[in-house]
Amino acid sequence: MKLFLASYRFGAHVDEFISLTSGPGRVAVIANAADSWPDAARLSAVTSELRGLRELGYDPMELDLRDFAGRKDELEAELDSVETVWLRGGNTFVLRSRLHQSGADEALASRVRDGSLVFAGYSAGACVASASLRGIEAADDPAEVTPTTGGSPLWTGLGLIDVSFVPHFRSILDENDVGEAMVERYRRDGVEHLTLTDDQAYVVDGDRRGRI
């Protein structure tokens, strides 16, 4: 199993991302964490992700989960055509809802676990890999889910890892010190967690795993 989970894009570890993905190849960019944003902001976010990956030599394309509700076979065919999925940041609960509605949650998890797909992403895209999303409501509003996706918030993640993440820890992106509140809650509840600064990432490569 291979995971590259960061706070902000590649952090300071783009070389690790390239190594983990065995160099440039086809990448499916999942930007549905931004679905509650205005259309222009969402489009700009997607364009930025595609451009960044192209600059590294990758062949990225957007995989918009809104197009695959009730079309799981077609979604699986798309996943089988790429080597890596890249999930960008936004609202973790909105992303989780889209993953569920399209069947991408099970399809992704099974391929990542059998080693046929590398799972990479940052912020919401990293948090959704955890077993539980409890505590993330301090940073992301679950109330955005219903008006955006028509579904209800889900509180379980993909279960690819047991640890929960606190992204943007003590970063300029965390203007309201949300990270400190998340850490306090996790400590109180006895939840295993890791803070990630915007330079850091958490990597799983077979038996090798840890924060870098």
Side-chain angles (χ1 to χ4, degrees):
M1 186 165 68
K2 294 186 177 184
L3 308 174
F4 180 91
L5 308 173
S7 176
Y8 185 69
R9 296 206 169 161
F10 309 106
H13 301 283
V14 65
D15 291 344
E16 183 73 28
F17 172 78
I18 293 171
S19 174
L20 194 71
T21 56
S22 300
R26 297 203 70 209
V27 181
V29 174
I30 296 176
N32 296 96
D35 282 355
S36 60
W37 299 1
D39 289 345
R42 189 190 188 284
L43 177 60
S44 177
V46 173
T47 300
S48 178
E49 300 302 330
L50 297 176
R51 181 173 60 245
L53 287 161
R54 286 194 189 105
E55 288 173 352
L56 295 177
Y58 288 86
D59 178 20
M61 57 93 172
E62 184 187 3
L63 182 63
D64 190 343
L65 300 180
R66 294 177 296 184
D67 296 335
F68 292 95
R71 299 167 57 195
K72 188 175 180 182
D73 289 347
E74 294 175 50
L75 172 70
E76 291 184 335
E78 292 288 345
L79 292 176
D80 289 337
S81 73
V82 300
E83 291 86 33
T84 303
V85 288
W86 176 258
L87 289 78
R88 67 150 287 130
N91 187 306
T92 307
F93 297 101
V94 170
L95 172 60
R96 180 66 182 94
S97 181
R98 292 295 194 203
L99 288 165
H100 175 68
Q101 290 173 338
S102 63
D105 45 6
E106 295 179 358
L108 276 175
S110 64
R111 284 162 174 77
V112 173
R113 289 192 177 101
D114 71 20
S116 62
L117 192 64
V118 178
F119 186 101
Y122 67 93
S123 195
C127 290
V128 79
S130 300
S132 173
L133 304 186
R134 294 288 177 183
I136 296 174
E137 67 272 20
D140 296 342
D141 188 357
E144 291 185 7
V145 172
T146 300
T148 302
T149 75
S152 299
L154 299 174
W155 295 90
T156 56
L158 299 183
L160 296 173
I161 51 172
D162 293 328
V163 66
S164 294
F165 291 113
V166 182
H168 312 303
F169 190 65
R170 295 177 178 170
S171 158
I172 59 172
L173 296 179
D174 185 10
E175 298 176 349
N176 300 314
D177 294 327
V178 169
E180 299 286 358
M182 291 175 69
V183 167
E184 182 178 348
R185 171 170 177 168
Y186 287 144
R187 286 175 175 166
R188 182 193 70 208
D189 295 346
V191 175
E192 185 180 359
H193 63 280
L194 280 176
T195 59
L196 292 175
T197 70
D198 285 345
D199 284 337
Q200 293 177 315
Y202 184 87
V203 171
V204 175
D205 186 4
D207 293 334
R208 180 174 72 95
R209 61 183 58 208
R211 183 173 52 189
I212 58 174

